[in-house]
Amino acid sequence: MEIILLSVAFGAFILWWMFSSPKRLRKMGDRFPGPKAYPIVGNTFNFPIIGPNAPQSWSASSKKYGYTMRYWLGPELHIFVSEPDDMQMILSSPTLITKSSSYKLLDSWLGTGLLLATGNLWQMRRKAITPTFHFKILEKFIPTFNKCANTLVNCLKDKTDKGYFNIIEFMSNCALDAIAETAMGTEIKAQTEPLEKYPNSISRMTKYLGERLRNPLLGMEPIYTLSGRRQKEAEHLDILFSLPLEVLERKRNEKSNIPSETELLEEDYGAKKKTAFLELLLEMKQKNIPGFQSDKDIKDEVMTFMFEGHDTTTTVLSYTIWLLGMHPDIQEELYNEIKEVTENRELTIEVYQKMHYLERVIKESLRLYPPVPAFGRQATQDIVLPTSGYVIPAGAQIDLVIYLLHRREDIFPEPDKFIPDRFLEPAKHPFAYLPFSAGPRNCIGQKFAMLDLKAIISHVVLNYKIESDSDLEVNPELLLRTSKGPNVKLTVRNP
């Protein structure tokens, strides 16, 4: 049976390669420098694009071929780009807004949410959602962030003075509590009553997606289904959908909890009371706002916000806490700032805005370990790159490699060092630092994310001294995960 399956797979793969890659694409792609590509498989087996070996591969290839190079995944041409001028041209374009084909793997999970939508649908959704991240609405989320951060501090007490432990689970549950309450208006108490299935399903889903990116065979049917992964994916999606769908049904029937049209149109965008993202979307559907005509439209957007607000926040929190434990001098300077700024004060948005050193610490963590190591765009037209003059042909996939960009020595001196004060200097290029992307498709929730991160990190640093185990292994998948670590140990600070 296995031999038959492999034969069918190989035959399908050859047909895909023969008929999927136009001659023009092959000819123009071969003008770019890059690793040797083999017939049929391309660079599938000699250029790791994800996994523990990927960062070293990216770095070595950039030194050999430059910051613009090509590789082939079967018949699919990918162009690696890490030049600021090229990134500016691509990300600023009002027409190059279609995500690369790799993002299609997320369709079953995120549907037509803002991350995957394109064209008129994306424009309608973006326009409708932007006001929900207004300053006045974000201000009302601060008590939720503080509550979740205080719960985290209490949960960590059991880990003090007990040696090293992996911080990811604690950060994940805290981030999940915060995003569930702000996105869906419901407490799930993941920190005190851990929902192991939900974060585990997110982890497994991103792992499956990574496997399909790395191995084009798994991106084909019936191979994906016959491998058993389709069934496992469906089981994890049932878990991931269950919570939002349950809350959506409940909120839809609680008309009194949905903000009125008058409230939404007030100058403060309806922020007189704490209003969850889901409730604002339900009101948009009630008002027949373009882009939000069905429950599916709302579900897709909530799932997208949950994914981006939970998993990416978990990643940034974990790396930042680990980095502080690796640099006790920076940790102490941060502690002194937080203590001074928060002493005898209610923790409001204004207080968090005064934590300038904390902001630089987070920015530097995002530079070294961007949660999304690369963004993908599809070349819907021929693109002339301003830096090199190379022409990316229509139909190619563009990989904007943020991880490489952020570690360029010509832009960030001593790029592998953790130096928060480098952000005291003006940026050398407006598109040299892109943890939240840039241009029309930049991350709509970046201010939300920064406030959430500041609240959680400040509470941890104020209560604990952090020491980190240096043994860390980065493992890029869909997000910048780890194969080993980050492990820390905590000591309670003296009052």
Side-chain angles (χ1 to χ4, degrees):
M1 179 64 184
E2 290 182 2
I3 294 175
I4 294 174
L5 179 59
L6 287 172
S7 299
V8 171
F10 189 67
F13 193 73
I14 290 175
L15 290 173
W16 176 50
W17 178 77
M18 289 175 62
F19 297 107
S20 295
S21 182
K23 288 183 179 179
R24 181 175 186 269
L25 197 69
R26 297 184 196 178
K27 182 178 179 180
M28 294 183 71
D30 286 341
R31 294 173 182 172
F32 286 79
K36 181 179 179 180
Y38 294 92
I40 302 176
V41 297
N43 299 110
T44 301
F45 301 112
N46 70 337
F47 182 67
I49 58 169
I50 61 173
N53 296 324
Q56 292 80 8
S57 173
W58 300 342
S59 179
S61 295
S62 68
K63 291 176 182 176
K64 185 173 182 179
Y65 305 110
Y67 287 105
T68 304
M69 55 169 280
R70 62 100 189 100
Y71 70 94
W72 293 88
L73 281 182
E76 196 171 73
L77 172 63
H78 286 251
I79 305 298
F80 252 38
V81 176
S82 296
E83 292 284 2
D85 285 338
D86 297 345
M87 289 189 161
Q88 182 170 13
M89 186 269 291
I90 293 166
L91 292 175
S92 299
S93 170
T95 56
L96 296 173
I97 62 171
T98 301
K99 296 295 182 77
S100 67
S101 61
S102 303
Y103 287 78
K104 292 179 182 178
L105 301 177
L106 291 164
D107 280 353
S108 60
W109 184 0
L110 305 182
T112 57
L114 203 58
L115 179 66
L116 303 185
T118 192
N120 290 333
L121 178 62
W122 171 79
Q123 291 173 348
M124 289 188 295
R125 292 270 179 91
R126 179 86 183 198
K127 181 179 179 180
I129 292 172
T130 295
T132 67
F133 289 96
H134 187 271
F135 175 86
K136 288 293 183 180
I137 287 182
L138 296 181
E139 186 177 31
K140 300 301 179 181
F141 291 150
I142 296 296
T144 297
F145 295 155
N146 289 336
K147 178 179 67 175
C148 294
N150 278 320
T151 302
L152 172 63
V153 168
N154 289 329
C155 290
L156 289 172
K157 286 179 180 178
D158 290 338
K159 288 293 184 179
T160 57
D161 302 317
K162 292 183 179 178
Y164 290 107
F165 66 98
N166 193 305
I167 195 70
I168 290 177
E169 180 183 348
F170 290 88
M171 297 299 107
S172 174
N173 288 332
C174 182
L176 185 55
D177 272 348
I179 197 66
E181 191 164 343
T182 52
M184 297 186 295
T186 188
E187 290 185 86
I188 61 174
K189 300 179 180 179
Q191 297 185 86
T192 53
E193 302 169 20
L195 298 174
E196 293 181 6
K197 286 186 176 181
Y198 190 92
N200 179 62
S201 290
I202 290 178
S203 178
R204 296 304 303 174
M205 279 293 293
T206 56
K207 185 175 180 64
Y208 294 153
L209 296 173
E211 289 175 348
R212 294 178 74 181
L213 284 174
R214 181 168 52 237
N215 185 353
L217 279 173
L218 291 175
M220 301 170 60
E221 288 293 2
I223 299 169
Y224 190 63
T225 297
L226 292 173
S227 71
R229 287 173 173 81
R230 177 72 67 190
Q231 178 61 34
K232 291 178 181 177
E233 178 183 305
E235 292 170 1
H236 288 299
L237 284 174
D238 284 344
I239 294 169
L240 294 173
F241 288 155
S242 61
L243 181 62
L245 288 175
E246 177 189 334
V247 177
L248 175 59
E249 181 65 25
R250 187 168 71 246
K251 293 292 183 183
R252 187 174 52 191
N253 295 325
E254 294 174 358
K255 299 297 184 183
S256 61
N257 287 343
I258 301 175
S260 69
E261 182 174 346
T262 302
E263 286 179 308
L264 271 178
L265 295 178
E266 285 180 339
E267 186 176 332
D268 62 358
Y269 292 89
K272 284 192 172 181
K273 66 185 185 71
K274 184 175 67 178
T275 307
F277 183 64
L278 171 59
E279 293 167 345
L280 294 167
L281 296 182
L282 285 167
E283 178 65 18
M284 290 180 195
K285 183 192 169 191
Q286 257 186 13
K287 293 166 59 184
N288 205 30
I289 296 289
F292 292 98
Q293 306 294 305
S294 68
D295 283 351
K296 183 183 182 302
D297 296 334
I298 294 173
K299 184 206 76 173
D300 289 349
E301 218 55 75
V302 171
M303 290 301 300
T304 297
F305 193 42
M306 286 286 290
F307 166 65
E308 293 191 303
H310 167 241
D311 226 15
T312 56
T313 300
T314 298
T315 302
V316 180
L317 286 170
S318 301
Y319 280 119
T320 305
I321 295 297
W322 178 81
L323 282 165
L324 288 171
M326 290 294 296
H327 300 85
D329 53 335
I330 293 174
Q331 183 182 162
E332 287 309 301
E333 185 173 349
L334 178 58
Y335 168 75
N336 290 331
E337 177 192 72
I338 295 169
K339 186 177 180 182
E340 180 181 347
V341 169
T342 60
E343 197 162 21
N344 300 320
R345 291 186 180 93
E346 180 185 358
L347 295 178
T348 63
I349 195 168
E350 290 79 15
V351 170
Y352 286 122
Q353 288 175 332
K354 292 177 181 177
M355 296 181 184
H356 304 299
Y357 191 61
L358 174 56
E359 184 153 327
R360 296 200 296 277
V361 165
I362 295 171
K363 284 182 175 180
E364 180 69 342
S365 174
L366 284 164
R367 182 189 69 82
L368 284 169
Y369 300 106
V372 182
F375 307 130
R377 290 287 188 274
Q378 186 170 331
T380 51
Q381 62 199 52
D382 285 358
I383 304 166
V384 180
L385 297 176
T387 302
S388 61
Y390 287 128
V391 179
I392 299 178
Q397 308 303 315
I398 308 169
D399 297 338
L400 302 157
V401 191
I402 309 306
Y403 186 91
L404 276 184
L405 174 70
H406 285 182
R407 290 174 181 255
R408 287 185 55 153
E409 192 167 8
D410 57 330
I411 299 174
F412 299 102
E414 300 182 284
D416 295 327
K417 290 188 177 181
F418 183 59
I419 309 174
D421 281 347
R422 71 171 79 242
F423 286 94
L424 289 171
E425 301 294 328
K428 289 188 176 181
H429 191 287
F431 280 69
Y433 177 73
L434 301 171
F436 296 105
S437 189
R441 292 208 75 145
N442 71 335
C443 175
I444 197 172
Q446 57 186 285
K447 291 181 180 178
F448 173 98
M450 284 299 291
L451 282 172
D452 192 10
L453 292 167
K454 281 186 173 183
I456 296 169
I457 294 167
S458 63
H459 277 75
V460 173
V461 171
L462 199 58
N463 287 276
Y464 298 108
K465 284 187 178 181
I466 308 157
E467 185 179 334
S468 296
D469 180 353
S470 61
D471 196 8
L472 179 78
E473 188 174 272
V474 176
N475 181 19
E477 293 178 355
L478 196 64
L479 299 177
L480 196 66
R481 301 195 183 280
T482 62
S483 300
K484 194 180 294 181
N487 296 315
V488 305
K489 62 180 178 181
L490 303 177
T491 304
V492 176
R493 286 189 179 272
N494 293 323

